[in-house]
């Protein structure tokens, strides 16, 4: 069935230890982490609704980016997708899959896959 | 090529009906109607991509970034991209976030997203398949 079996959460369940969020073809390292991580932090934190961002890498080398918001709402998507596209353009050699999760009053880490690495929480 | 597109279009209509059945017959499991709606949208998009000569996508691919890249190559689908993404996000929360509290407003959102996607993509696909 299309779409089944490739989600990072499913793969994680069979792993004893979370994978590094650094892909095989990472961007250069800067003082505050890999350049793509700095760009993600800078761009996604500019979206008011985004309270936290977490990263996880899967076996295909895809960087999964989880933006955590209070609740699903169409209002922030325009700006968020614009910022995500800018990151993709800046790092065309990397493959990102962007996600939005709703914390609904929980700690942001509760809304993302276990083992995801926090990029920022506010 | 059109046969494959027809198969995905058939899966789309099946999943739309499945979502309706879940909503009406399983009121306590309406969150999964959103999941069926997402897969309906995914098959509709896939059917359309198959008919496009400027898009190369393995229709059996489960890798979402490839589908997103295909979507980016179709400017005529621009207005459906964010709706597709919102439906995908909601569907993922239902499937993977065990603490996610699904509410009736989420079902309203999902139906609106799928309706918008269908309004944009379905007429274009039917035209390319000679169904109109």
């Amino acid at each position: 069935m299309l779409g089944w079996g490739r989600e990072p959460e499913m793969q994680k369940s069979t792993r004893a230890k979370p994978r590094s969020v650094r892909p095989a073809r990472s961007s250069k390292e800067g003082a505050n982490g890999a350049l793509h991580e700095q760009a993600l932090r800078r761009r996604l934190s500019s979206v008011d609704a985004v309270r936290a961002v977490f990263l996880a890498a899967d076996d295909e080398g895809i960087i999964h980016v989880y933006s955590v918001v209070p609740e699903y709402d169409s209002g922030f998507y325009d700006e968020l997708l614009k910022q995500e596209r800018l990151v993709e353009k800046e790092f065309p050699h990397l493959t990102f899959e962007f996600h939005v999760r709703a914390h609904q009053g929980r700690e942001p880490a509760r809304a993302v896959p276990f083992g995801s690495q926090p990029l920022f929480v506010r | 090529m059109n046969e494959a597109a027809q198969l995905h279009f058939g899966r789309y209509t099946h999943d739309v009906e499945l979502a309706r059945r879940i909503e009406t017959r399983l009121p306590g499991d309406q969150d999964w109607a959103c999941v069926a709606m997402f897969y309906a949208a995914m098959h509709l998009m896939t059917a359309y991509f198959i008919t496009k000569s400027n898009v190369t996508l393995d229709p059996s691919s489960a890798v979402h970034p490839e589908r997103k890249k295909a979507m980016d190559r179709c400017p005529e689908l621009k207005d459906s991209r964010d709706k597709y993404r919102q439906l995908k996000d909601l569907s993922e929360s239902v499937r993977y976030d065990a603490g996610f509290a699904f509410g009736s407003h989420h079902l309203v959102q999902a139906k609106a997203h799928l309706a918008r996607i269908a309004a944009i993509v379905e007429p274009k696909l039917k035209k390319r398949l000679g169904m109109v």
Side-chain angles (χ1 to χ4, degrees):
Chain A
M1 174 71 188
L2 285 174
W4 294 97
R6 300 288 291 274
E7 307 288 348
E9 289 88 341
M10 290 181 176
Q11 295 173 358
K12 277 181 191 309
S13 65
T14 61
R15 288 200 298 265
K17 186 180 173 185
R19 289 171 60 84
S20 165
V21 294
R22 300 288 162 81
R25 289 180 297 162
S26 181
S27 56
K28 289 179 182 173
E29 199 82 14
N32 297 309
L35 293 180
H36 71 277
E37 293 179 4
Q38 293 178 37
L40 284 164
R41 189 182 295 115
R42 184 177 73 252
R43 297 215 176 273
L44 300 184
S45 66
S46 73
V47 182
D48 287 344
V50 175
R51 302 298 160 84
V53 170
F54 292 79
L55 302 181
D58 68 17
D59 295 338
E60 309 288 333
I62 295 171
I63 303 167
H64 293 268
V65 182
Y66 296 87
S67 293
V68 183
V69 300
E71 181 54 281
Y72 286 114
D73 178 341
S74 294
F76 59 81
Y77 267 91
D78 270 357
E79 185 57 28
L80 178 62
L81 268 55
K82 181 181 162 190
Q83 296 302 326
E84 291 175 352
R85 273 195 296 274
L86 289 170
V87 173
E88 286 176 319
K89 280 185 182 173
E90 200 173 338
F91 301 95
H93 59 295
L94 300 179
T95 302
F96 297 96
E97 183 172 350
F98 293 97
H99 313 258
V100 169
R101 290 290 172 87
H103 67 64
Q104 300 182 313
R106 298 170 291 170
E107 288 294 319
R110 296 280 195 161
V112 300
F114 178 75
S116 302
Q117 304 295 307
L119 191 60
F120 74 83
V121 180
R122 59 184 176 196
Chain B
M1 187 168 76
N2 279 358
E3 187 184 347
Q6 291 275 7
L7 282 172
H8 282 279
F9 183 72
R11 180 53 63 173
Y12 155 67
T13 56
H14 172 273
D15 288 349
V16 167
E17 285 306 315
L18 173 62
R20 285 191 187 126
R21 286 200 302 275
I22 293 171
E23 189 186 346
T24 56
R25 297 184 198 173
L26 300 171
D29 298 303
Q30 289 187 331
D31 51 349
W32 277 84
C34 291
V35 177
M37 285 181 215
F38 166 66
Y39 282 106
M42 192 196 72
H43 283 292
L44 179 63
M45 289 287 190
T46 301
Y48 185 70
F49 296 146
I50 290 170
T51 68
K52 294 278 288 184
S53 58
N54 67 327
V55 174
T56 50
L57 172 76
D58 173 2
S60 66
S61 171
V63 181
H64 292 295
E66 291 305 312
R67 200 164 275 103
K68 182 172 177 290
K69 282 179 191 167
M71 227 174 282
D72 289 342
R73 284 184 220 113
C74 299
E76 70 277 18
L77 303 185
K78 185 173 178 287
D79 291 340
S80 64
R81 285 179 204 152
D82 73 320
K83 303 302 178 195
Y84 182 86
R85 168 64 184 281
Q86 291 183 58
L87 196 48
K88 176 174 171 287
D89 286 333
L90 190 53
S91 159
E92 287 181 351
S93 276
V94 169
R95 283 177 284 157
Y96 301 119
D97 181 358
F100 178 64
F102 185 85
S104 56
H105 59 290
H106 294 122
L107 185 63
V108 172
Q109 288 173 356
K111 287 163 92 170
H113 298 328
L114 180 60
R116 183 72 185 132
I117 294 164
I120 293 168
V121 184
E122 199 177 315
K124 292 178 174 57
L125 174 64
K126 283 183 171 175
K127 192 174 176 184
R128 296 182 77 85
L129 291 176
M131 295 168 76
V132 287

